[in-house]
Amino acid sequence: MDRLSLQDPVFATYAIAASLMILKAVAMSWLTVVRMMQEKGGYRSPEDLRKTPLNPQPDPRQLEPNERVERIRRIQMNDLENLPFFLVAGFLYVLTGPSLLLAQVLLYGYVGSRLLHFAAYFTAQTHDVRATLWTLGSLILIFMTIRTLLAALGV
Amino acid sequence: MDRLSLQDPVFATYAIAASLMILKAVAMSWLTVVRMMQEKGGYRSPEDLRKTPLNPQPDPRQLEPNERVERIRRIQMNDLENLPFFLVAGFLYVLTGPSLLLAQVLLYGYVGSRLLHFAAYFTAQTHDVRATLWTLGSLILIFMTIRTLLAALGV
Amino acid sequence: MDRLSLQDPVFATYAIAASLMILKAVAMSWLTVVRMMQEKGGYRSPEDLRKTPLNPQPDPRQLEPNERVERIRRIQMNDLENLPFFLVAGFLYVLTGPSLLLAQVLLYGYVGSRLLHFAAYFTAQTHDVRATLWTLGSLILIFMTIRTLLAALGV
């Protein structure tokens, strides 16, 4: 069977993990929008102070950083530092022909670590909790990438 | 025919959309460079105040935020929050075997929404215009990703 | 032979270059962690001031920008503006069927330009050095993407 087919169980595992991570990343943009609407602030562009249907009562303070909005932006920034690399690393790792079980442990383990990282960051858990969850995902990413590198080098 | 071939019309549609979006993203970096040269400012690193052929008359104010440069940085940040996920989501979506017409509507629709978003942001249109164009692209991205997820789950 | 196989020399070249760039990107996150631990500062979230095993003596100044940490964040930001697009552009370029030699020159040339860019930024070389190395990588990225676009358009 074609290795890059959604019918292939290992590739389907990757596609499911990748889709969940893409939806997670997109959700951060929408969550930023929701928070900006709740706070009526945390905007960034001068033109956002114009009077429009979405902003009927502009106020210069709307351009000041708003911690409830900034928290989501920090979470999103952490996604941008991690998810694009996971999406490519996971794809290449699947081409090394891992067992289905190992692929599931690594790919779904990564997804789980990122969802828990989000929960910890969103609810302002202690730095050490957040760091532990980030480290778990990062180690999975490094493992998959080194495995791919060795396979491509023919080692 | 091989599904991942540039001769396959659906995959070629993806490759064209992806290439245009990559060039768009790269163009933001160059536009930032152009604006920094025009403004002789908006720099970020302490070493950028050294006297060099590209900066013959350094001035500490060159490290202050410059709105004409910051606008491009905000546009670029918006790209980073969206385009890497589109590039992977579009690739996986093509593997679900969509019709050529639907693939063209979604992939070129996304490209169009991002180019118009750029035009609106660049010319400082009202927030509502920008938000509408961003929403269009984001909904296309979500649709393609959910379609991929369902296909990979065998639903 | 399957074109998307790690046994294919051109695709293996891409996989090696991509893996190195992913590891480089991930290393920036770890380097940020190392610097924050060395400086005991450069943190960003209010909850990072809580007393924990990793931060036994919290101090409000820990949330102020720290130049040694900010430098790594700027390098990482530059990666985010470039590497995700290289990872996809390189993949699509390989599908255009380039010669092994050309693929090696472009893909490894990109990797080399980014590693040198890191070295220049990390050691605070003059802006002109950094800009030259960035430009080299950016031109390789643009070349590969335009080549892909033309191939997908059937030109």
Side-chain angles (χ1 to χ4, degrees):
Chain A
M1 189 161 28
D2 186 1
R3 199 183 274 168
L4 287 186
S5 156
L6 294 173
Q7 270 79 53
D8 177 79
V10 175
F11 190 74
T13 300
Y14 165 71
I16 292 167
S19 297
L20 291 174
M21 290 290 86
I22 292 170
L23 290 175
K24 196 276 181 194
V26 174
M28 293 306 100
S29 294
W30 285 94
L31 193 50
T32 305
V33 170
V34 167
R35 285 257 161 130
M36 287 194 297
M37 289 173 70
Q38 286 175 340
E39 300 288 314
K40 302 194 202 319
Y43 306 156
R44 285 187 161 172
S45 293
E47 63 266 29
D48 297 349
L49 294 187
R50 273 187 224 140
K51 187 169 177 167
T52 67
L54 289 176
N55 193 13
Q57 295 180 312
D59 182 325
R61 283 173 297 178
Q62 290 180 313
L63 288 186
E64 290 170 10
N66 175 301
E67 170 56 21
R68 289 193 77 235
V69 177
E70 289 304 311
R71 176 170 299 279
I72 310 301
R73 292 200 207 270
R74 288 196 300 271
I75 295 176
Q76 185 171 33
M77 193 67 208
N78 195 282
D79 279 352
L80 302 188
E81 291 164 8
N82 290 278
L83 299 188
F85 304 107
F86 166 75
L87 293 174
V88 176
F91 175 76
L92 292 175
Y93 176 67
V94 161
L95 297 179
T96 66
S99 73
L100 177 58
L101 180 63
L102 186 54
Q104 287 174 330
V105 168
L106 293 171
L107 295 165
Y108 293 154
Y110 187 87
V111 171
S113 77
R114 293 303 299 178
L115 295 182
L116 289 172
H117 180 272
F118 167 73
Y121 215 153
F122 191 70
T123 59
Q125 297 302 306
T126 299
H127 168 266
D128 299 23
V129 175
R130 207 173 77 218
T132 303
L133 292 164
W134 174 82
T135 299
L136 177 61
S138 192
L139 291 177
I140 291 174
L141 179 50
I142 291 170
F143 175 85
M144 293 195 304
T145 307
I146 290 180
R147 182 70 192 80
T148 300
L149 182 59
L150 295 178
L153 287 168
V155 178
Chain B
M1 187 161 30
D2 187 1
R3 198 183 275 169
L4 288 186
S5 157
L6 294 172
Q7 271 78 54
D8 176 79
V10 174
F11 191 74
T13 300
Y14 166 71
I16 292 167
S19 297
L20 292 174
M21 290 290 85
I22 292 169
L23 291 174
K24 195 276 179 194
V26 174
M28 293 307 100
S29 293
W30 285 94
L31 192 51
T32 305
V33 171
V34 167
R35 286 257 162 129
M36 288 194 297
M37 289 173 69
Q38 286 174 341
E39 300 288 315
K40 302 193 202 319
Y43 307 156
R44 286 186 161 172
S45 293
E47 63 265 30
D48 298 348
L49 294 187
R50 276 188 222 139
K51 187 169 178 165
T52 68
L54 288 176
N55 192 14
Q57 295 181 312
D59 181 325
R61 283 173 297 179
Q62 289 179 313
L63 288 187
E64 291 170 11
N66 176 301
E67 170 55 21
R68 288 194 77 236
V69 177
E70 290 302 311
R71 175 171 299 280
I72 310 301
R73 293 201 207 269
R74 287 196 300 271
I75 295 176
Q76 185 171 33
M77 194 66 209
N78 195 282
D79 279 352
L80 302 187
E81 291 164 7
N82 289 278
L83 299 188
F85 303 106
F86 167 75
L87 293 173
V88 176
F91 175 75
L92 292 174
Y93 177 66
V94 160
L95 296 179
T96 67
S99 72
L100 177 58
L101 180 64
L102 186 55
Q104 287 174 330
V105 168
L106 292 171
L107 294 165
Y108 293 154
Y110 187 87
V111 170
S113 78
R114 293 303 298 177
L115 296 181
L116 289 172
H117 179 271
F118 167 73
Y121 214 154
F122 191 71
T123 58
Q125 298 302 307
T126 299
H127 168 266
D128 299 23
V129 175
R130 207 174 78 220
T132 303
L133 291 164
W134 174 82
T135 299
L136 177 61
S138 192
L139 290 178
I140 291 174
L141 178 49
I142 291 170
F143 175 85
M144 293 194 303
T145 307
I146 289 181
R147 181 71 191 83
T148 300
L149 182 60
L150 294 179
L153 288 168
V155 177
Chain C
M1 187 161 30
D2 186 3
R3 198 184 274 170
L4 287 186
S5 157
L6 295 172
Q7 271 79 55
D8 176 79
V10 175
F11 190 75
T13 300
Y14 165 71
I16 292 166
S19 297
L20 291 174
M21 290 290 86
I22 292 170
L23 290 174
K24 196 276 180 194
V26 174
M28 294 306 100
S29 293
W30 285 94
L31 192 50
T32 305
V33 171
V34 167
R35 286 258 161 129
M36 287 194 296
M37 288 173 70
Q38 286 174 341
E39 300 289 314
K40 301 193 203 321
Y43 306 156
R44 286 187 161 173
S45 293
E47 64 266 30
D48 297 349
L49 293 187
R50 276 187 222 140
K51 187 168 179 168
T52 68
L54 289 176
N55 193 15
Q57 295 180 312
D59 182 325
R61 283 173 296 178
Q62 289 179 313
L63 288 187
E64 290 170 9
N66 176 300
E67 171 55 21
R68 289 193 76 237
V69 177
E70 290 302 311
R71 176 171 298 280
I72 310 301
R73 292 200 207 270
R74 287 196 300 271
I75 295 175
Q76 185 172 33
M77 194 67 209
N78 196 281
D79 279 353
L80 302 188
E81 291 165 7
N82 290 278
L83 299 188
F85 303 106
F86 167 75
L87 293 174
V88 176
F91 175 74
L92 292 174
Y93 176 67
V94 161
L95 297 179
T96 68
S99 73
L100 177 58
L101 180 63
L102 185 55
Q104 286 174 331
V105 168
L106 293 171
L107 294 165
Y108 293 154
Y110 187 88
V111 171
S113 77
R114 293 302 301 179
L115 295 181
L116 290 172
H117 179 271
F118 167 74
Y121 214 153
F122 190 71
T123 58
Q125 297 302 307
T126 300
H127 168 266
D128 300 23
V129 175
R130 207 174 78 219
T132 303
L133 291 164
W134 175 82
T135 299
L136 177 60
S138 192
L139 291 177
I140 291 174
L141 179 49
I142 291 169
F143 175 85
M144 293 195 304
T145 307
I146 290 180
R147 181 70 191 82
T148 301
L149 183 59
L150 295 179
L153 288 169
V155 177

